[in-house]
Amino acid sequence: MTFHDYSITFLGLSLLCFLSPATFSADYIPSTLDGPFVPVTVPLDTSLRGKAIDLPDTDPRVRRHVTGFEPEQISLSLSSDFDSIWVSWITGEFQIGKNVKPLDRTSIDSIVQFGTLRHSLSHEAKGTSLVYSQLYPFDGLLNYTSGIIHHVRITGLKPSTVYYYRCGDPSRHAMSKIHHFRTMPVSNPSSYPNRIAVVGDLGLTYNTTDTVSHLLQNSPDLVLLIGDVSYANLYLTNGTSSDCYSCSFPDTPIHETYQPRWDYWGRFMETLTSKVPLMVVEGNHEIELQAENKTFEAYKSRFAFPFKESGSSSKLYYSFNAGGIHFVMLGAYVAFEKPGEQYEWLKKDLAKFDRSVTPWLVVSWHPPWYSSYTAHYREAECMKEAMEESLYSYGTDIVFNGHVHAYERTNRVYNYELDPCGPVYIVVGDGGNREKMAIEHADEPGKCPDPLTTPDPAMGGEFCGWNFTKTGKFCWDQQPEYSALRESSFGHGILEVKNDTWALWTWYRNQDSSSKVGDQIYIVREPDRCNGYNRLVDHC
């Protein structure tokens, strides 16, 4: 492959030219070294904007197919490094009604039997279990209590090794069938997972099934889910659904949520999650307020997170390694202000980050800082004000976000200005949920929102969007120069890190065949030019 340098030297300074995709031949994959690129908007294909319909509870893919206390909804998640992994599952049936009685979690053990040979599972690990409830102190609203949720951490594993396992309680003759997983490679600059799938705002629609089917065809080693999981909060407790909850049910005494949708989602996803680790970060649809102002109960109960292993005190933010990549998962719906707990944890985590071990730094959270769509425009500005400088100064390479139900990739950017040492921001909130696809752009005439309407109450509700454009406006008059490509289509992305400086990013649309790509670019680290810590002292 021939690499091109399209920079111009003038008075000893290197200035980057804007390039159009038309600059490249059909078989050439551009890289960030070729950028920044002329902003491109792929025209909306109205024939593909079908209504996103949820899978009904009668669909065989969401029905309960086990009996008694046999495990179901089996899922994997990584611990902080290659030598350990979490196995999670549920036993027993959920209950929903006016009066529910939680199952006795001590009535069944949490055991995983595992080994490198399918028919010789000679190792055993034990874990813990819990039951959570979603309760509403209002007449007419139904309460929910889950099955018994098990989390077992397996330790002492070898890197890049296939392990076979089954989970359950052998004393109750309640064990799963045998599944398998592959551990992550050892953390060093020359070893990486082959493919990392990235998806956001997934839900459980027929569009979701297309997304997951296409994703499985790409055989990922790891999946990142960038928030908004089951969309159970688009339902009343009686199972009545709506595309817009606040529009359809404005007079409900509390924002209800139909928790069985979580069980349906876990059953549907088991084909993937029982063999590929899923790392998830919370979105706004996971808040799920209930009695006593409890939030995130389903989210925090159903998934295992390496938060303790990474020094975090909260399941809402954590970090982990996968080969030579250090991932940081931030919480947008928990306090992020300076000098709060999450902010201080982030500083400590980044201070420990060692590029001689993990050259790549990838950060994710749900609502984007850089999106030119009208939907959620500059909604997370206060989080950006609090944290962007830290992420930039430590040399973040890629940021993944969801929330906006479309696809958008940026040029390298910092504080709304093109910066060859800034991260590439990628919005993948296009997983297929039942809410509307984002199609309007804030730079279109008459589409710029009133600035004071943009703060999200779930993120504190303060207005921090004082950083207006160069023309003094809240929105750009045309597609912002930081926005390289945007398109309103459902899909998912695949990240393939090739070595310590080159990574291939590919975005696939659901409407295309698995061999056709919607967007593809090499993201290239330039350590000699952008040398990491305290980069703000010598701004690129």
Side-chain angles (χ1 to χ4, degrees):
M1 176 180 289
T2 301
F3 303 133
H4 300 271
D5 182 0
Y6 289 98
S7 63
I8 299 174
T9 301
F10 177 70
L11 295 179
L13 299 176
S14 180
L15 305 177
L16 294 176
C17 297
F18 277 97
L19 297 174
S20 164
T23 307
F24 310 109
S25 62
D27 59 348
Y28 177 75
I29 301 174
S31 80
T32 51
L33 299 178
D34 300 320
F37 302 98
V38 174
V40 171
T41 299
V42 176
L44 180 68
D45 185 348
T46 56
S47 68
L48 298 172
R49 301 284 81 76
K51 182 177 174 62
I53 301 173
D54 273 342
L55 269 64
D57 59 9
T58 56
D59 191 294
R61 291 168 290 186
V62 305
R63 302 297 296 169
R64 189 170 188 257
H65 295 294
V66 300
T67 59
F69 285 94
E70 294 176 351
E72 66 160 352
Q73 304 180 50
I74 300 168
S75 64
L76 304 169
S77 58
L78 298 182
S79 187
S80 55
D81 221 327
F82 70 85
D83 58 355
S84 58
I85 198 167
W86 286 93
V87 182
S88 303
W89 69 94
I90 295 180
T91 53
E93 294 190 67
F94 67 78
Q95 303 166 55
I96 187 165
K98 190 171 183 180
N99 298 304
V100 294
K101 182 180 179 181
L103 296 174
D104 178 7
R105 66 180 183 82
T106 66
S107 64
I108 188 166
D109 289 334
S110 309
I111 295 174
V112 176
Q113 298 171 343
F114 65 99
T116 55
L117 299 175
R118 183 180 183 88
H119 299 295
S120 180
L121 307 181
S122 56
H123 302 282
E124 185 173 283
K126 295 184 178 181
T128 60
S129 62
L130 61 92
V131 173
Y132 82 91
S133 299
Q134 190 83 9
L135 304 176
Y136 301 101
F138 302 101
D139 291 339
L141 273 61
L142 303 181
N143 295 317
Y144 170 95
T145 185
S146 70
I148 301 171
I149 303 172
H150 305 260
H151 299 301
V152 177
R153 185 184 178 208
I154 303 175
T155 59
L157 303 177
K158 298 177 181 178
S160 302
T161 301
V162 173
Y163 284 88
Y164 298 90
Y165 75 97
R166 60 184 177 186
C167 57
D169 185 348
S171 69
R172 298 284 296 269
H173 302 288
M175 295 294 287
S176 72
K177 69 178 183 179
I178 296 175
H179 300 276
H180 70 276
F181 62 84
R182 179 182 290 275
T183 54
M184 292 294 106
V186 67
S187 291
N188 66 44
S190 60
S191 60
Y192 300 91
N194 289 328
R195 293 183 182 90
I196 301 168
V198 187
V199 65
D201 301 69
L202 200 54
L204 188 55
T205 69
Y206 290 101
N207 289 316
T208 306
T209 65
D210 288 342
T211 302
V212 174
S213 175
H214 286 203
L215 188 155
L216 280 166
Q217 291 175 39
N218 276 312
S219 301
D221 301 294
L222 174 65
V223 178
L224 303 183
L225 175 49
I226 316 299
D228 284 1
V229 181
S230 71
Y231 287 80
N233 74 337
L234 289 184
Y235 287 75
L236 296 176
T237 62
N238 63 10
T240 302
S241 65
S242 173
D243 296 327
C244 173
Y245 183 101
S246 60
C247 305
S248 300
F249 313 115
D251 300 320
T252 55
I254 193 172
H255 192 125
E256 303 165 52
T257 172
Y258 187 62
Q259 290 294 293
R261 295 300 302 184
W262 278 101
D263 295 283
Y264 303 160
W265 190 90
R267 291 166 185 164
F268 171 77
M269 293 293 289
E270 184 178 319
T271 301
L272 172 65
T273 60
S274 62
K275 63 182 180 182
V276 182
L278 174 72
M279 305 306 288
V280 61
V281 68
E282 75 278 4
N284 55 298
H285 284 272
E286 279 72 74
I287 297 174
E288 297 187 315
L289 176 66
Q290 59 165 306
E292 300 178 354
N293 289 321
K294 290 183 178 179
T295 54
F296 295 107
E297 287 297 299
Y299 173 79
K300 292 189 292 186
S301 299
R302 291 174 179 269
F303 298 105
F305 308 93
F307 73 104
K308 290 182 180 179
E309 300 100 284
S310 59
S312 170
S313 61
S314 172
K315 294 179 179 179
L316 301 180
Y317 51 89
Y318 61 93
S319 65
F320 63 96
N321 292 335
I325 312 169
H326 184 62
F327 288 94
V328 178
M329 312 291 272
L330 296 177
Y333 303 100
V334 61
F336 45 72
E337 297 86 357
K338 303 176 184 178
E341 198 168 287
Q342 180 177 195
Y343 179 81
E344 293 300 318
W345 168 83
L346 175 62
K347 283 174 55 179
K348 292 177 182 178
D349 188 83
L350 293 176
K352 293 184 292 184
F353 166 56
D354 185 352
R355 286 197 189 269
S356 69
V357 179
T358 52
W360 287 84
L361 177 57
V362 177
V363 185
S364 297
W365 64 90
H366 186 57
W369 296 346
Y370 290 95
S371 168
S372 58
Y373 283 85
T374 302
H376 308 298
Y377 183 69
R378 299 182 70 171
E379 185 176 276
E381 199 78 9
C382 291
M383 184 184 183
K384 176 181 177 297
E385 289 293 311
M387 292 183 162
E388 185 178 25
E389 181 177 322
S390 292
L391 296 187
Y392 178 82
S393 66
Y394 278 93
T396 299
D397 299 299
I398 307 171
V399 172
F400 290 114
N401 301 119
H403 203 39
V404 175
H405 301 160
Y407 174 76
E408 187 165 16
R409 170 176 55 81
T410 73
N411 289 304
R412 291 194 177 277
V413 60
Y414 172 65
N415 198 26
Y416 292 114
E417 295 184 1
L418 297 180
D419 189 313
C421 295
V424 173
Y425 289 80
I426 299 174
V427 177
V428 285
D430 56 346
N433 71 84
R434 68 175 295 155
E435 292 185 311
K436 294 179 180 178
M437 174 71 70
I439 58 175
E440 295 180 346
H441 307 111
D443 49 88
E444 295 174 14
K447 300 300 183 182
C448 182
D450 181 337
L452 294 181
T453 66
T454 57
D456 184 356
M459 299 183 70
E462 295 184 28
F463 181 76
C464 299
W466 303 108
N467 191 352
F468 283 21
T469 67
K470 293 179 181 179
T471 61
K473 299 179 181 178
F474 189 62
C475 300
W476 279 257
D477 293 326
Q478 57 186 359
Q479 186 173 352
E481 61 182 6
Y482 68 72
S483 175
L485 176 68
R486 61 190 184 187
E487 179 176 352
S488 299
S489 291
F490 292 120
H492 76 283
I494 296 289
L495 179 67
E496 301 171 77
V497 178
K498 304 298 185 179
N499 54 41
D500 61 346
T501 54
W502 286 75
L504 179 63
W505 167 253
T506 308
W507 175 63
Y508 295 91
R509 292 178 292 228
N510 283 2
Q511 66 263 30
D512 296 331
S513 66
S514 58
S515 60
K516 183 179 178 181
V517 302
D519 180 34
Q520 194 168 52
I521 189 171
Y522 279 105
I523 299 173
V524 185
R525 293 184 55 247
E526 299 183 74
D528 294 336
R529 183 182 198 181
C530 309
N531 58 356
Y533 179 67
N534 214 13
R535 144 183 323 170
L536 289 172
V537 174
D538 183 19
H539 199 296
C540 295

